[in-house]
Amino acid sequence: PEKKPPAESEEKNPYLVLVCGGGNAAQVATAMFALRYPTIAVSLYADEAAKWKEALGDDDYELTLDTGKVVKSKPDDITNDPSVAAKADAIVLAVPSFAHGEYFEAFAPYMKPGTLVACMPARSGGDILFAAKLGAKAKDMIFMGFETLPWACRFTEWGRKATILGTKGSILAAVTPPSKFPHAFALMQGMLGVFPAVTESPNNLGISLRNPGAQIHPGVMYGRWCPEKWDGNPVDEKPLFYQGVEEFSESVLMGLTNEVQAIRKKMEEMVPGLDLRDGCTLHQWYLDSYAGQMTDDSSLRMCMNTNPGYRGLTHPCKDAEDGKFMPDLRYRYLTEDVPTGMCFNKGLGEILGVPMPTTDKVLAWAQECIG
């Protein structure tokens, strides 16, 4: 018989991606992955999926890349139905970490063995939460925790157009079980493109300890608004967040990061061969993440003060009378980063018997703020 041409004899490889969320990152990921793969966007938040579906209508989503190229694509569906997880080969979560558990729980009954679940970013203890929500099924799945989002991005028109402002050169990720890293790496690098280069981190615990939000956000908020520094009255202008870090705030951040390093040291002593190298100090995290961008990287405070990406960013504030401002002490820097970051660090410290006086002080204050 006549041999079929290669295009017909090659097997087709169907591959379905679910992207969870409806914010900046989720819409960008959906548009990017839908260029090449069948892609379904899932949002379990209120009526976000219906609103997005209505906003897009029959049109394509328009994504402007940081290379200047404009690409157009359309997800196969935008839904709030978790049963679509049954068809998924990869599930990418680009939602705030406090919502991860809700998605894991909703998808658990439907997921097929071997599904890759990638969290961008994973935040602290993401692998433990995944195992808890999936129970016995977790051992048949692949969990991939990313340290951060691959891109800085924003909507230009909600539900219809977005722009990637910048793409990270490289991004750390850890896989549970570690033996599945080559498989997970191939899938995610293929979906993301050339950049960011996905770099292997030895384990998800290192990614958890590396979580900068768990220390920077609550630490800087405490440094400016704790009773020692603020009298409770409205302020004339919104204080700078990163550029406004002074000696006192830096001392708080140093206390927090040193306590995480004490946890890392104790665990590496207790478990021979455990590699937590990526659970680094905050200063080292800045050197890794923003090398060459800061005009002075000699100290943690200088890294924060001179990082051009932070220029003009202020503390989250609410309007008060007479054009003044009050801090928003229920902003995600506390409501998200304390329960899904700082509390994880504190829990490890308690288990290991590591004293954490700075963490205790910031945690007690933050709990009062968020209720």
Side-chain angles (χ1 to χ4, degrees):
E2 196 180 322
K3 198 175 175 190
K4 285 187 174 180
E8 289 175 37
S9 59
E10 289 288 340
E11 280 186 47
K12 288 188 169 65
N13 287 301
Y15 183 79
L16 180 78
V17 187
L18 286 196
V19 179
C20 306
N24 286 326
Q27 292 197 15
V28 165
T30 300
M32 186 178 275
F33 302 157
L35 274 171
R36 294 188 60 193
Y37 307 104
T39 301
I40 296 176
V42 182
S43 173
L44 302 180
Y45 175 68
D47 59 350
E48 188 171 55
K51 281 181 176 165
W52 183 4
K53 197 168 187 170
E54 189 184 353
L56 191 57
D58 294 328
D59 299 333
D60 284 346
Y61 196 99
E62 187 177 296
L63 179 63
T64 304
L65 305 177
D66 52 345
T67 55
K69 268 188 174 290
V70 177
V71 295
K72 294 184 178 185
S73 67
K74 192 170 182 65
D76 292 55
D77 197 8
I78 303 169
T79 182
N80 63 354
D81 177 7
S83 71
V84 293
K87 299 184 277 188
D89 297 287
I91 299 174
V92 177
L93 278 84
V95 288
S97 52
F98 64 75
H100 288 180
E102 181 190 356
Y103 281 88
F104 295 157
E105 215 167 271
F107 292 150
Y110 308 106
M111 287 166 66
K112 61 187 181 189
T115 304
L116 169 65
V117 178
C119 292
M120 302 190 307
R123 291 310 184 223
S124 306
D127 55 324
I128 299 169
L129 178 68
F130 182 70
K133 295 293 186 187
L134 264 78
K137 285 185 87 167
K139 68 179 186 339
D140 301 320
M141 308 297 171
I142 305 165
F143 178 86
M144 191 172 197
F146 282 85
E147 64 162 333
T148 182
L149 274 171
W151 331 273
C153 52
R154 66 158 183 245
F155 302 122
T156 34
E157 188 182 340
W158 191 88
R160 297 176 58 81
K161 293 179 184 180
T163 301
I164 295 179
L165 305 169
T167 300
K168 292 186 170 63
S170 66
I171 185 172
L172 279 173
V175 171
T176 303
S179 60
K180 295 289 187 185
F181 185 87
H183 172 71
F185 164 79
L187 295 182
M188 286 308 300
Q189 192 70 71
M191 284 158 63
L192 291 167
V194 178
F195 295 109
V198 179
T199 308
E200 182 175 10
S201 184
N203 50 64
N204 272 293
L205 181 55
I207 292 282
S208 292
L209 292 176
R210 188 180 179 84
N211 177 359
Q215 302 163 62
I216 293 171
H217 293 154
V220 175
M221 292 285 277
Y222 178 88
R224 180 61 184 83
W225 306 111
C226 70
E228 292 166 73
K229 287 286 165 182
W230 180 52
D231 60 9
N233 292 316
V235 294
D236 291 335
E237 52 187 42
K238 297 178 184 179
L240 291 169
F241 195 83
Y242 302 94
Q243 289 173 294
V245 168
E246 34 46 83
E247 209 169 311
F248 177 76
S249 298
E250 184 185 37
S251 72
V252 173
L253 294 170
M254 291 303 292
L256 295 173
T257 193
N258 289 342
E259 287 164 11
V260 171
Q261 291 310 298
I263 289 171
R264 173 190 162 183
K265 184 168 179 282
K266 182 85 177 268
M267 293 195 84
E268 288 184 330
E269 284 169 1
M270 291 171 71
V271 185
L274 179 64
D275 183 355
L276 297 175
R277 61 173 174 237
D278 290 324
C280 60
T281 64
L282 285 179
H283 189 198
Q284 186 59 49
W285 182 82
Y286 273 102
L287 297 176
D288 291 349
S289 304
Y290 296 101
Q293 297 180 39
M294 300 159 297
T295 51
D296 183 344
D297 62 10
S298 60
S299 67
L300 174 58
R301 182 181 6 159
M302 286 299 107
C303 284
M304 297 175 81
N305 288 173
T306 69
N307 185 338
Y310 288 162
R311 195 171 295 128
L313 296 180
T314 61
H315 275 263
C317 289
K318 296 187 287 194
D319 292 337
E321 288 179 8
D322 302 326
K324 295 192 173 191
F325 301 96
M326 287 289 280
D328 183 357
L329 299 178
R330 295 183 64 83
Y331 191 66
R332 65 181 173 85
Y333 288 174
L334 296 182
T335 55
E336 184 177 344
D337 288 309
V338 171
T340 68
M342 186 170 271
C343 287
F344 178 85
N345 294 343
K346 174 60 183 170
L348 276 181
E350 280 195 353
I351 292 166
L352 297 165
V354 173
M356 303 179 73
T358 309
T359 301
D360 290 342
K361 197 162 52 173
V362 176
L363 205 48
W365 171 80
Q367 282 175 299
E368 289 289 317
C369 296
I370 61 184

